[in-house]
Amino acid sequence: KKEEMNKALLVAFCVVLAVCLSLAVYVPSREERKQLQGPPSEFGQFVDPSPADAAQSSDSALIPVHLTQNGNVWEWTSTINVDSTEELSAALLSPHREHLEV
């Protein structure tokens, strides 16, 4: 009887091990991943956002500045196109800003 019990335990262990291993490597398909769950009152929340709501816009630009040396002075000269004749804001981001002239 002891041998039969050991054999039954070994078979049960192998079955449990096989089930655990099969679940550990299971990757759901794309269709299965799209199956959403929840009460019907939440179904409206499961829609993709409209592109207009997800769009990002910016009213700023970062412009790289490459200085050239002119005697003892370092200079940058360029033309910057802006879309307003009324307002323009500029910020200098430099660890040496106290030595800069605009």
Side-chain angles (χ1 to χ4, degrees):
K1 277 196 163 187
K2 191 172 186 177
E3 284 182 35
E4 289 178 23
M5 192 165 122
N6 287 341
K7 188 175 183 181
L9 286 174
L10 181 62
V11 169
F13 175 77
C14 290
V15 169
V16 170
L17 182 62
V19 169
C20 289
L21 289 175
S22 68
L23 292 176
V25 296
Y26 174 74
V27 177
S29 68
R30 185 167 191 257
E31 289 76 22
E32 290 173 316
R33 288 192 307 266
K34 290 176 68 175
Q35 299 299 318
L36 304 174
Q37 297 180 0
S41 62
E42 294 179 358
F43 287 177
Q45 300 172 11
F46 297 150
V47 297
D48 292 333
S50 72
D53 293 338
Q56 295 181 358
S57 64
S58 175
D59 295 327
S60 63
L62 292 175
I63 301 170
V65 175
H66 301 284
L67 302 174
T68 56
Q69 190 170 10
N70 185 4
N72 291 335
V73 177
W74 288 87
E75 297 178 333
W76 173 70
T77 304
S78 184
T79 302
I80 301 174
N81 297 320
V82 294
D83 62 355
S84 175
T85 59
E86 299 174 11
E87 183 180 352
L88 173 67
S89 298
L92 296 175
L93 306 174
S94 170
H96 309 289
R97 64 186 166 274
E98 65 272 359
H99 303 294
L100 301 175
E101 291 182 23
V102 180

